[in-house]
Amino acid sequence: MGLFQYEFMLRALVGALVIGLAAPALGIYLVQRRLSLIGDGVGHVALTGVGVGLLLNRSPVIAAVIVAAIGAVAIELIRERGRTSGDMALAILFYGGIAGGVVLVGLSSNRSNAALMSYLFGALTTTSRTDLVTIAILGVVVLIAMIALRPALFAICHDEEYARVSGLPVRALNLLLAVTTAVTVTIAMRAVGLLLISALMVVPVATAQQVTRGFVGTMALAMGLGLVAAGSGVWLAGTLDTAPGATIVVLAITMFLLVAIGTATWRTLRRRALPVPATELEPPDVVLKH
């Protein structure tokens, strides 16, 4: 644990742990709504915010939060229409976001490819104290909102029409999910990068779903797996001198594969161990004549 005697590694660890908790807590709702890739789309839009911040010599994080929130709300309103044209509009929004970000970063005074890559794939070890405070505050806000509003958010994810009939403010809750997605993506760009955050939202949830049945249990296990992947990823990246964001995602996917193989093996062994009922040895509609 000698790596964490350095302040920048401690900041990286704390920032990663916050993201590791908050991302799956939000991601479980996105998975339930079959919006697993929305984090990727919002990340594309957030890059334009980064470019705006760099071009205007303002905080890229704050600018990215604002632009990503606007983009996420636009995505939700387009999704609400439920038309084929909405898919085309989303595609234009996503690709326009990343293209606009690249152009704006190129026009800014900080034109280096390193600056662009740090936002696309993360630069956790360069997290400053200001970045850490921003990540911690916004991450805790997202975490509290996802846990405190769990019954209402679960209702709209499970059956939106029933939630509307029950009197829940469906549109407001949908917009809340959109904005918190934007916030999570933006604060995570320092940890795992705009192009990888969607994996940290989805993969721990997919892993937990293989071994749990209830929503609460899945949510708790997904947050735990996200925490383990984030903490272990920072340590392993520091030990092997690899990119922290990519290492965290690789560990999360490795856990998914191990659990998938383990559960599949367990089910196969269990089926072989169970005796075959006598009625299943011969189809009931087969009649043997003497």
Side-chain angles (χ1 to χ4, degrees):
M1 301 298 288
L3 287 172
F4 299 109
Q5 64 182 320
Y6 303 106
E7 185 179 355
F8 74 93
M9 285 301 297
L10 281 175
R11 290 198 299 267
L13 178 63
V14 173
L17 292 178
V18 172
I19 299 302
L21 276 174
L26 169 65
I28 189 170
Y29 299 107
L30 302 180
V31 171
Q32 288 290 319
R33 303 189 69 183
R34 301 182 184 276
L35 294 174
S36 300
L37 295 179
I38 192 173
D40 191 34
V42 173
H44 285 58
V45 177
L47 186 61
T48 295
V50 171
V52 170
L54 293 176
L55 187 63
L56 300 178
N57 291 321
R58 297 290 186 267
S59 170
V61 175
I62 300 301
V65 167
I66 296 172
V67 174
I70 294 172
V73 170
I75 291 170
E76 173 56 31
L77 294 178
I78 292 172
R79 184 201 67 83
E80 197 176 68
R81 293 174 57 190
R83 298 179 181 176
T84 306
S85 59
D87 294 336
M88 297 176 63
L90 288 178
I92 294 172
L93 187 65
F94 293 169
Y95 300 129
I98 194 168
V102 172
V103 170
L104 291 174
V105 170
L107 293 175
S108 67
S109 57
N110 192 350
R111 307 169 57 106
S112 67
N113 288 332
L116 182 60
M117 296 293 285
S118 68
Y119 291 106
L120 289 176
F121 298 103
L124 189 57
T125 53
T126 62
T127 303
S128 65
R129 292 186 179 182
T130 303
D131 291 334
L132 183 59
V133 170
T134 303
I135 291 172
I137 293 175
L138 294 179
V140 169
V141 169
V142 170
L143 194 59
I144 291 174
M146 295 302 101
I147 295 175
L149 298 176
R150 178 181 55 80
L153 292 174
F154 173 76
I156 66 168
C157 293
H158 184 68
D159 191 336
E160 191 169 297
E161 291 302 321
Y162 177 78
R164 184 175 286 107
V165 172
S166 300
L168 290 175
V170 172
R171 172 169 286 188
L173 290 171
N174 283 334
L175 292 178
L176 173 66
L177 277 178
V179 172
T180 50
T181 300
V183 171
T184 304
V185 167
T186 306
I187 62 175
M189 68 183 179
R190 300 298 294 172
V192 296
L194 294 173
L195 298 184
L196 297 175
I197 177 55
S198 188
L200 199 55
M201 288 181 178
V202 173
V203 176
V205 177
T207 306
Q209 284 180 332
Q210 299 182 73
V211 294
T212 58
R213 294 184 179 180
F215 184 84
V216 176
T218 301
M219 185 178 191
L221 182 57
M223 292 168 61
L225 292 172
L227 199 65
V228 171
S232 302
V234 172
W235 174 79
L236 192 60
T239 303
L240 301 178
D241 193 23
T242 56
T247 306
I248 291 171
V249 173
V250 167
L251 282 179
I253 294 175
T254 300
M255 288 191 291
F256 171 80
L257 293 175
L258 290 176
V259 171
I261 294 171
T263 53
T265 303
W266 168 253
R267 288 169 185 165
T268 301
L269 294 175
R270 188 178 180 184
R271 280 197 299 267
R272 290 179 179 178
L274 291 175
V276 180
T279 56
E280 294 185 4
L281 294 177
E282 183 177 278
D285 58 336
V286 175
V287 178
L288 299 179
K289 296 181 180 180
H290 298 286

